[in-house]
């Protein structure tokens, strides 16, 4: 196939325009990383999909780990793993849609993303009580409580409305419940 990496990504993006804006933005960042990598290794965005070897695909992960950031800096392992996953998806889509008859050159690339425990902080009940005392508005208090005890993301909290809360009648047949609307994972 004579399709370039740029054509691949543009066609994939058109076919997946139904995705959330943030998802498309993330994929765009992944595409830019791939183009920077290919600019060093091949012809950048003009690289033909058929010219990308498995060796080139496998070497993409170490490149992302060491200089995949915008300014050539290191990427966090989770970000690098996600970008490899997206790249695999684009090439798989190309093959499944019969636009490319070759093999996915990224099929052996490492997508692992170990957790980054340095970003984890346990918030104790006492810490939450102190933070609640400092909150100027009850909405902020509610957000802290939902984050601490329910694990809600801020993007989920802003979607939460009164209609999502059902107080029930206190019986097993009609228990109280809250429907959590979520952009990322769907209603739960």
């Amino acid at each position: 196939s004579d399709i370039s990496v740029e054509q691949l990504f543009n066609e994939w993006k058109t076919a997946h325009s139904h995705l959330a804006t943030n998802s498309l933005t993330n994929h765009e960042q992944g595409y830019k990383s791939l183009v920077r990598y290919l600019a060093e290794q091949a012809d950048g965005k003009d690289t033909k999909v058929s010219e990308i070897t498995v060796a080139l695909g496998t070497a993409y992960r170490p490149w992302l780990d060491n200089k995949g950031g915008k300014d050539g800096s290191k990427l966090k392992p989770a970000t690098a793993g996600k970008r490899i996953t997206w790249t695999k998806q684009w090439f798989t889509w190309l093959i499944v849609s019969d636009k490319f008859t070759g093999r996915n050159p990224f099929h052996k690339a490492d997508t692992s993303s170990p957790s980054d425990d340095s970003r984890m902080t346990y918030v104790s009940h006492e810490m939450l009580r102190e933070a609640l005392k400092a909150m100027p508005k009850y909405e902020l208090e509610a957000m802290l409580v939902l984050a601490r005890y329910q694990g809600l993301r801020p993007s989920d909290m802003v979607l939460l409305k009164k209609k999502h809360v059902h107080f029930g009648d206190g019986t097993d047949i009609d228990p109280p419940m809250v429907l959590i609307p979520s952009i990322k994972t769907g209603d739960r």
Side-chain angles (χ1 to χ4, degrees):
S1 170
D2 286 337
I3 189 169
S4 70
V5 169
E6 180 179 38
Q7 290 169 310
L8 157 64
F9 185 72
N10 287 335
E11 287 185 29
W12 180 90
K13 201 164 62 168
T14 299
H16 293 82
S17 60
H18 62 279
L19 293 176
T21 304
N22 285 349
S23 293
L24 290 173
T25 299
N26 289 338
H27 278 270
E28 186 78 38
Q29 290 172 344
Y31 166 71
K32 289 176 182 175
S33 290
L34 179 62
V35 168
R36 284 195 318 275
Y37 170 67
L38 292 173
E40 288 183 16
Q41 308 297 323
D43 294 324
K45 67 182 180 181
D46 298 323
T47 302
K48 301 297 181 204
V49 168
S50 59
E51 297 170 356
I52 301 174
T53 64
V54 172
L56 200 58
T58 305
Y60 184 39
R61 174 59 189 258
W63 182 89
L64 282 172
D65 286 337
N66 293 308
K67 50 192 209 175
K70 288 181 191 175
D71 58 354
S73 60
K74 293 182 176 188
L75 283 181
K76 296 273 187 184
T79 303
K82 198 56 140 164
R83 290 191 183 173
I84 292 286
T85 299
W86 295 333
T87 304
K88 282 183 176 182
Q89 287 175 359
W90 307 329
F91 280 78
T92 299
W93 172 82
L94 190 67
I95 293 165
V96 170
S97 59
D98 293 327
K99 296 174 189 270
F100 180 61
T101 56
R103 190 173 184 185
N104 187 335
F106 295 92
H107 78 280
K108 289 187 176 182
D110 178 17
T111 59
S112 65
S113 56
S115 64
D116 182 3
D117 293 341
S118 69
R119 298 176 63 190
M120 304 281 267
T121 302
Y122 176 75
V123 178
S124 69
H125 301 296
E126 185 56 39
M127 289 169 69
L128 181 65
R129 275 193 289 278
E130 291 301 314
L132 290 174
K133 289 178 188 175
M135 290 294 111
K137 295 186 175 186
Y138 70 90
E139 291 94 346
L140 295 174
E141 290 177 10
M143 290 177 78
L144 274 178
V145 169
L146 288 170
R148 169 59 176 88
Y149 294 111
Q150 297 299 317
L152 262 63
R153 298 177 188 89
S155 61
D156 296 343
M157 290 180 209
V158 297
L159 298 175
L160 196 58
K161 306 285 183 230
K162 186 176 180 180
K163 68 181 181 181
H164 296 115
V165 179
H166 175 71
F167 292 99
D169 64 9
T171 65
D172 289 341
I173 296 170
D174 188 22
M177 68 177 88
V178 178
L179 174 69
I180 308 295
S182 175
I183 292 173
K184 188 171 182 178
T185 61
D187 293 351
R188 48 192 159 91

